[in-house]
Amino acid sequence: MDDGRILATYRVASYLPLDHAAAVLAGEQSSGTFTKVALESDDLMRVHGARVESIEKNETPIDPLPGAVSAGAGAPPSVATVAVSFPVVNLGPSIAALLATVAGNLYELRELAAVKLLDVEIPDALAARYTGPLHGVGGTRRLIGNPSQTMIGTIVKPSIGLTLDQLEALVRELAEAQIDFIKDDELNSDPPHAPLTDRIRVVMRTIRDVADRTGKQTMYAFNVTGDMDDMKRAADLIAVEGGTCVMAAIPSVGFSAFAELRRHTDLALHGHRAGFGAFDRSPSLGIGFRAFQRLARVAGADHLHVGGINSKFWEPNDAIVDGVRAIQEDRSVGAPMLPVLSSAQTAATAASTYELLPTPDLLVLAGGGIHAHPGGVAAGVQSMREAWHAVASGHDPRMIATPGSALDVALDAFGS
Amino acid sequence: MDDGRILATYRVASYLPLDHAAAVLAGEQSSGTFTKVALESDDLMRVHGARVESIEKNETPIDPLPGAVSAGAGAPPSVATVAVSFPVVNLGPSIAALLATVAGNLYELRELAAVKLLDVEIPDALAARYTGPLHGVGGTRRLIGNPSQTMIGTIVKPSIGLTLDQLEALVRELAEAQIDFIKDDELNSDPPHAPLTDRIRVVMRTIRDVADRTGKQTMYAFNVTGDMDDMKRAADLIAVEGGTCVMAAIPSVGFSAFAELRRHTDLALHGHRAGFGAFDRSPSLGIGFRAFQRLARVAGADHLHVGGINSKFWEPNDAIVDGVRAIQEDRSVGAPMLPVLSSAQTAATAASTYELLPTPDLLVLAGGGIHAHPGGVAAGVQSMREAWHAVASGHDPRMIATPGSALDVALDAFGS
């Protein structure tokens, strides 16, 4: 749909008839208030009113939200997937205005016992205002020297507390092991013991030094999550120092700040999703990943975290697979975004991940899977590389691992 | 607590022992990963580790989140209020870095069957980086000519679709009725039929014109919710045109952008909370209002929406009262923030609101309660003014309303 309307899809539950509940949602988010007002003409409603496009009832039970008005009979609420369209002309258009429309006061409606934004189509008028991802999958590959395989990365661990000297030694070892990508932990922004500006200088000097000798361009995503001006200044310094990537936690900074960072810099933008669980983990409330990834893409994320297969987090594997598919299928604006798998990834998880996601267009991050390798981080990197090379070639890593090799040790250490 | 630590309070539920679940949360949000890594020294843990400060079990049942690991016995999860402290030196400090720490990946933990951030203390090191509210209650009162009573406002209705001519006529009528405050609806940002820049010029010309004759300075909160640069440009234009207030939906733009708007402008900042329901409506997940209002204050909101007594929305009255108290009690940074009551407010609701919130330091917004008054919007304003004057003087509006007066008509039209 883009006949001048924005289509948003919700999971809705209500104790009231579903068509009534959906109409309340549409009214609240367009021209309505709780009572008919003076200037609310039929013409105005026709041009600016939201419209319920479809209601598909389903039988999945859900936990109802508090405060929902009940018909009193004691029956559970009805559940449905409801599509609502909003006139594009109601909006700015901006991501923030879109959010206020499709994810605003509607969460508060007493007529609804569940309301979760599952997906939202980005209208052309909105997409035209943003570049979207500048680098995406292909651009990221080019920036790290065109590896043909799955891209392998890590998170600096421990998350916080490393001195600049420790960080330098760690980055050197990782870069010399020819890792594709390193990122700060999302908790590590600009602490006094390792200020971001110092971190940028030390890390980039190290990466340049290794690259001069080996030719390998490791991408380092500096976590700039913070205030707007500080993020911009950090991005500028990263560019000056020859860096290629900047990272921010999108839920922490918000979409407007993230989009502004995109406008300000042409570095690759690594979109962390720390805090997204607050939106997504309840089936009854919030914003689902398909909607989130669309907004992240429009805001300009080149990379987006999507969880991990068999991770330490709550999401089942089919949700992760669906998230990666959502990213892969979306061609709305800019370059194809690169899905980032993270959390409890090791050489031992490559096979199960590749089985569900048989594509090289992934960035797989192993934190403990590299830093806790018994042979050290270089062996950790090697084990990940070998495991992913094996699975992409159709082999079971356990079958081809040379006894005593980095891969073999990793499979022993991390395999279940 | 501010011995260099940030105290955050959560509602937590778990099928596992609560001390274990709380320790996992603390570990995940400070130096931990899923396995012990090479450089994770005891010294590092001592300086940078988060600490579980208290666990107060309670018996309130909650709906468990999906994906929680269960001991398998079929028993419901235990619920507790858990206080966790984080070293200030782990942070930037910035609001976004604080969010990544206290409201980041923890929502995804399988060990937790509920996790909601209830409150967070703002450390001095963080507060010192922000001005907080510049105007707040007292400054807002001064900007609108020092009314001693509860401040009365309205939202332009219909929310969207009014032409500039219609808007001008409506604003003129409201300003001539000496209303204290008018705001755009949160859905009305920068639509093509009434672009924000034109709206600013037309509205401010009208308000200046009325003020020249009556002396009444009506405050108009223009909804600038959008991209960063557009918000700044709009704020500049508002200032040039003699306006006093700018509004943004904090959940829609995000805290980093809102704080940047604060840095950019000294206009009063009207903090809308459209979308906050996605954080707060589930008792099992998200961010509660006490935490939200602290972050909004630090980010610089002069006014903050807090729902309405007997509103059309889901929140029970005690939650609204608690929200107003949270705002009133917090003196962490800047001027005292002004609580904004909204949603289904009319002259008929003044008595029940004042009974629960006996303070003049409120901004009460009536949308339909003014625009749907049978006598027109001027009568709507008058009815609100009279009702609030009555309740603040200890009278029941129904007892003192002159038959046929604006108040009397409003009580008939809106009273239940």
Side-chain angles (χ1 to χ4, degrees):
Chain A
M1 169 176 289
D2 196 3
D3 53 343
R5 300 185 76 85
I6 300 160
L7 191 71
T9 312
Y10 299 90
R11 180 179 301 127
V12 162
S14 183
Y15 294 101
L16 309 175
L18 283 166
D19 55 349
H20 173 67
V24 170
L25 189 164
E28 174 67 24
Q29 295 306 118
S30 54
S31 51
T33 184
F34 72 100
T35 178
K36 179 131 178 124
V37 299
L39 297 168
E40 191 177 331
S41 68
D42 291 346
D43 274 356
L44 184 148
M45 292 294 286
R46 204 154 29 239
V47 176
H48 296 286
R51 195 163 68 205
V52 178
E53 300 288 346
S54 65
I55 299 176
E56 286 179 42
K57 225 181 141 174
N58 63 63
E59 304 304 324
T60 318
I62 56 140
D63 292 328
L65 296 169
V69 285
S70 159
S78 310
V79 183
T81 302
V82 173
V84 180
S85 72
F86 303 86
V88 172
V89 295
N90 288 10
L91 298 192
S94 68
I95 298 172
L98 178 67
L99 276 172
T101 298
V102 302
N105 276 349
L106 52 89
Y107 294 114
E108 316 251 9
L109 290 167
R110 294 162 62 194
E111 287 83 355
L112 307 182
V115 49
K116 182 167 185 174
L117 177 67
L118 300 178
D119 203 353
V120 55
E121 286 183 8
I122 307 295
D124 296 343
L126 189 72
R129 291 259 309 234
Y130 298 88
T131 62
L134 289 186
H135 304 277
V137 177
T140 299
R141 234 184 249 290
R142 279 190 292 279
L143 287 169
I144 59 179
N146 279 311
S148 59
Q149 300 177 6
T150 305
M151 290 166 266
I152 303 296
T154 192
I155 307 117
V156 171
K157 296 283 175 190
S159 314
I160 23 185
L162 291 190
T163 64
L164 289 169
D165 284 348
Q166 289 175 311
L167 179 64
E168 177 169 16
L170 181 60
V171 169
R172 183 174 300 278
E173 201 175 351
L174 288 163
E176 285 177 344
Q178 308 225 359
I179 197 165
D180 296 318
F181 180 94
I182 308 171
K183 67 178 272 292
D184 288 328
D185 193 272
E186 83 279 2
L187 297 172
N188 190 21
S189 51
D190 189 18
H193 66 276
L196 181 56
T197 51
D198 295 343
R199 218 157 74 228
I200 293 168
R201 290 197 181 96
V202 165
V203 165
M204 286 317 305
R205 190 181 59 210
T206 309
I207 286 179
R208 287 194 310 265
D209 184 46
V210 175
D212 284 347
R213 287 182 291 111
T214 67
K216 176 65 183 178
Q217 299 289 341
T218 294
M219 177 179 277
Y220 193 105
F222 294 95
N223 178 23
V224 302
T225 300
D227 287 331
M228 197 69 251
D229 269 4
D230 295 336
M231 291 198 282
K232 289 181 177 178
R233 267 193 295 270
D236 292 346
L237 179 60
I238 293 163
V240 165
E241 292 284 335
T244 52
C245 188
V246 62
M247 154 183 161
I250 298 174
S252 301
V253 302
F255 283 107
S256 294
F258 196 83
E260 174 67 9
L261 187 59
R262 170 77 297 160
R263 288 212 166 84
H264 181 77
T265 183
D266 58 7
L267 296 173
L269 239 58
H270 188 80
H272 202 280
R273 64 172 210 177
F276 174 64
F279 289 106
D280 188 39
R281 190 164 171 184
S282 168
S284 308
L285 185 69
I287 299 178
F289 188 78
R290 283 190 167 258
F292 179 74
Q293 77 83 21
R294 285 195 199 270
L295 299 167
R297 173 189 304 268
V298 176
D302 290 294
H303 313 156
L304 187 62
H305 281 245
V306 64
I309 300 298
N310 300 324
S311 85
K312 64 181 173 182
F313 292 142
W314 75 278
E315 273 185 292
N317 288 345
D318 58 358
I320 309 298
V321 171
D322 187 66
V324 172
R325 288 226 180 96
I327 291 174
Q328 290 172 333
E329 289 163 6
D330 189 346
R331 290 288 179 267
S332 55
V333 51
M337 199 159 58
L338 175 63
V340 182
L341 295 179
S342 187
S343 174
Q345 304 300 299
T346 70
T349 66
S352 49
T353 299
Y354 192 79
E355 190 183 335
L356 293 173
L357 295 167
T359 164
D361 291 342
L362 297 173
L363 171 56
V364 181
L365 304 184
I370 283 177
H371 298 281
H373 191 288
V377 299
V381 174
Q382 200 188 331
S383 72
M384 285 289 290
R385 185 80 70 202
E386 288 177 17
W388 277 92
H389 183 71
V391 300
S393 316
H395 300 296
D396 181 341
R398 282 167 301 187
M399 296 295 123
I400 64 156
T402 314
S405 68
L407 176 58
D408 187 52
V409 171
L411 295 174
D412 269 358
F414 303 121
S416 52
Chain B
M1 167 177 291
D2 196 4
D3 53 343
R5 299 185 76 83
I6 301 159
L7 191 71
T9 312
Y10 300 90
R11 180 179 301 127
V12 162
S14 183
Y15 294 100
L16 308 175
L18 283 166
D19 54 349
H20 173 67
V24 170
L25 189 164
E28 174 67 23
Q29 294 308 116
S30 53
S31 50
T33 184
F34 73 100
T35 179
K36 179 130 179 123
V37 299
L39 296 169
E40 191 177 333
S41 68
D42 291 345
D43 274 356
L44 184 147
M45 292 296 287
R46 204 156 27 240
V47 176
H48 296 287
R51 197 163 66 205
V52 178
E53 300 287 346
S54 66
I55 299 176
E56 286 179 42
K57 224 182 143 177
N58 64 63
E59 304 303 324
T60 319
I62 56 141
D63 291 330
L65 296 170
V69 285
S70 160
S78 311
V79 183
T81 303
V82 172
V84 180
S85 72
F86 304 86
V88 171
V89 296
N90 288 11
L91 299 191
S94 68
I95 298 172
L98 178 66
L99 276 173
T101 299
V102 303
N105 275 349
L106 52 88
Y107 294 114
E108 316 249 10
L109 289 168
R110 294 163 62 195
E111 287 81 358
L112 307 181
V115 49
K116 183 168 183 173
L117 176 67
L118 300 177
D119 203 353
V120 55
E121 288 184 7
I122 306 296
D124 296 343
L126 189 72
R129 291 258 310 233
Y130 298 88
T131 62
L134 290 186
H135 303 278
V137 176
T140 299
R141 235 183 249 290
R142 279 190 293 279
L143 287 169
I144 59 178
N146 279 311
S148 58
Q149 300 177 5
T150 305
M151 291 165 265
I152 303 296
T154 192
I155 307 116
V156 170
K157 295 284 175 188
S159 313
I160 23 184
L162 290 190
T163 64
L164 289 168
D165 285 347
Q166 289 175 312
L167 179 64
E168 177 169 15
L170 181 60
V171 169
R172 185 173 298 280
E173 200 174 351
L174 288 162
E176 284 176 343
Q178 309 224 0
I179 196 165
D180 295 318
F181 180 94
I182 308 171
K183 67 179 273 293
D184 287 329
D185 193 273
E186 83 280 1
L187 297 172
N188 190 21
S189 51
D190 190 18
H193 65 274
L196 181 55
T197 52
D198 295 344
R199 219 157 74 228
I200 293 169
R201 291 198 180 94
V202 164
V203 165
M204 286 318 306
R205 190 180 61 210
T206 309
I207 286 179
R208 288 195 310 266
D209 185 45
V210 175
D212 284 346
R213 287 183 291 109
T214 66
K216 176 64 183 177
Q217 298 289 341
T218 295
M219 178 180 276
Y220 193 105
F222 294 95
N223 179 23
V224 303
T225 300
D227 288 330
M228 196 68 252
D229 269 2
D230 295 336
M231 292 198 279
K232 289 181 176 178
R233 268 194 294 269
D236 292 345
L237 180 61
I238 293 164
V240 165
E241 292 283 335
T244 52
C245 189
V246 62
M247 156 185 161
I250 298 174
S252 301
V253 302
F255 282 107
S256 294
F258 196 83
E260 174 68 8
L261 188 59
R262 169 77 298 162
R263 287 212 166 84
H264 182 78
T265 183
D266 58 6
L267 296 172
L269 237 59
H270 187 81
H272 202 281
R273 63 172 209 177
F276 174 63
F279 290 105
D280 189 39
R281 190 164 172 184
S282 167
S284 308
L285 185 69
I287 299 178
F289 188 78
R290 283 190 166 257
F292 179 73
Q293 78 82 22
R294 285 197 199 269
L295 299 167
R297 173 189 304 267
V298 176
D302 290 294
H303 313 155
L304 187 64
H305 281 244
V306 63
I309 301 297
N310 300 325
S311 84
K312 65 181 171 181
F313 291 141
W314 75 278
E315 273 186 292
N317 288 344
D318 58 358
I320 309 298
V321 170
D322 187 67
V324 171
R325 289 226 180 96
I327 291 174
Q328 289 172 334
E329 289 162 9
D330 189 347
R331 290 288 179 268
S332 56
V333 52
M337 200 160 57
L338 176 62
V340 182
L341 295 178
S342 187
S343 174
Q345 305 299 298
T346 69
T349 66
S352 49
T353 298
Y354 192 79
E355 191 184 333
L356 293 174
L357 295 167
T359 165
D361 292 342
L362 297 173
L363 171 56
V364 181
L365 305 183
I370 283 178
H371 297 282
H373 191 289
V377 298
V381 175
Q382 200 188 331
S383 72
M384 284 289 290
R385 185 80 72 200
E386 289 178 15
W388 276 92
H389 183 71
V391 298
S393 317
H395 300 297
D396 180 341
R398 281 167 303 186
M399 296 296 123
I400 64 157
T402 315
S405 67
L407 177 57
D408 187 53
V409 171
L411 295 174
D412 270 1
F414 303 121
S416 55

